[in-house]
Amino acid sequence: MTERPRLNVAVLIERQREPNAWEAWGHRIADVVRDDGSLGSDLRLLSDDGRTAQFLHPGFGVELYRDEAEGYYLNLSTGQPVWFVMWRVDEEDPSRAWPERVMLSYNEAGRLLDAQERVDNVPLHADIAAWLHTYTVEHYKPEPKRRARPASFRPPEQR
């Protein structure tokens, strides 16, 4: 069995106090960065000025799967490839938010959105996009288009 391509990454989440008149806390995915192992495994507060705080969440693995090759292709073909990050906010303490999953497949992100999950995206760095492109070119084979049978060869009741 061959090993799947894998990257270790960390997610940077930015928290803002009272981003508008209706919310006490706002969160956004600020970035996804490669983790060479030097970022540790624990959540880290990088900065906090009382209004905006940045938290680094290391320890996420992104593996590429052959059956998701179409989703990688769709992500790359947008012109601006992105990371997709599924994340949640603590219902009891809305000042806390954390990422659950990091992915590169447009289709996988779509399935999570269909399931009413919160999924945001951030731009993919060029070196990661090149790595994903190499994998996608090797493994994505579009479904061949099926030739439609001309209507003149169908029985009249099926036209």
Side-chain angles (χ1 to χ4, degrees):
M1 185 169 125
T2 61
E3 198 170 300
R4 283 190 279 278
R6 179 183 171 90
L7 285 176
N8 293 318
V9 297
V11 178
L12 181 65
I13 293 185
E14 186 176 278
R15 177 185 73 192
Q16 191 172 25
R17 179 186 295 273
E18 298 177 352
N20 55 53
W22 301 276
E23 294 179 295
W25 300 99
H27 305 274
R28 76 177 187 92
I29 305 300
D31 202 2
V32 175
V33 296
R34 274 187 96 156
D35 182 358
D36 59 5
S38 64
L39 299 177
S41 59
D42 297 328
L43 167 69
R44 289 195 322 199
L45 174 63
L46 299 180
S47 67
D48 188 354
D49 64 9
R51 177 141 172 81
T52 302
Q54 291 189 330
F55 297 91
L56 186 67
H57 298 262
F60 289 90
V62 177
E63 287 187 350
L64 300 184
Y65 296 88
R66 285 180 177 222
D67 59 350
E68 286 294 337
E70 180 185 34
Y72 306 141
Y73 171 77
L74 292 172
N75 186 2
L76 291 166
S77 67
T78 63
Q80 177 59 54
V82 296
W83 293 103
F84 297 100
V85 180
M86 183 187 113
W87 60 286
R88 296 203 167 120
V89 175
D90 190 323
E91 292 180 17
E92 310 215 344
D93 180 4
S95 70
R96 293 187 55 238
W98 63 90
E100 289 281 337
R101 291 173 66 183
V102 181
M103 66 216 85
L104 291 164
S105 170
Y106 186 90
N107 291 344
E108 186 177 359
R111 288 190 296 271
L112 290 169
L113 287 168
D114 288 345
Q116 302 300 307
E117 294 289 355
R118 182 175 297 175
V119 179
D120 286 342
N121 63 59
V122 292
L124 192 59
H125 300 281
D127 60 328
I128 307 296
W131 173 75
L132 181 62
H133 180 266
T134 300
Y135 181 86
T136 303
V137 165
E138 183 179 341
H139 296 287
Y140 176 58
K141 306 295 182 235
E143 294 277 328
K145 293 186 180 181
R146 297 178 60 185
R147 184 172 175 261
R149 188 173 181 174
S152 61
F153 290 108
R154 292 189 198 145
E157 62 273 1
Q158 291 182 359
R159 292 185 197 169

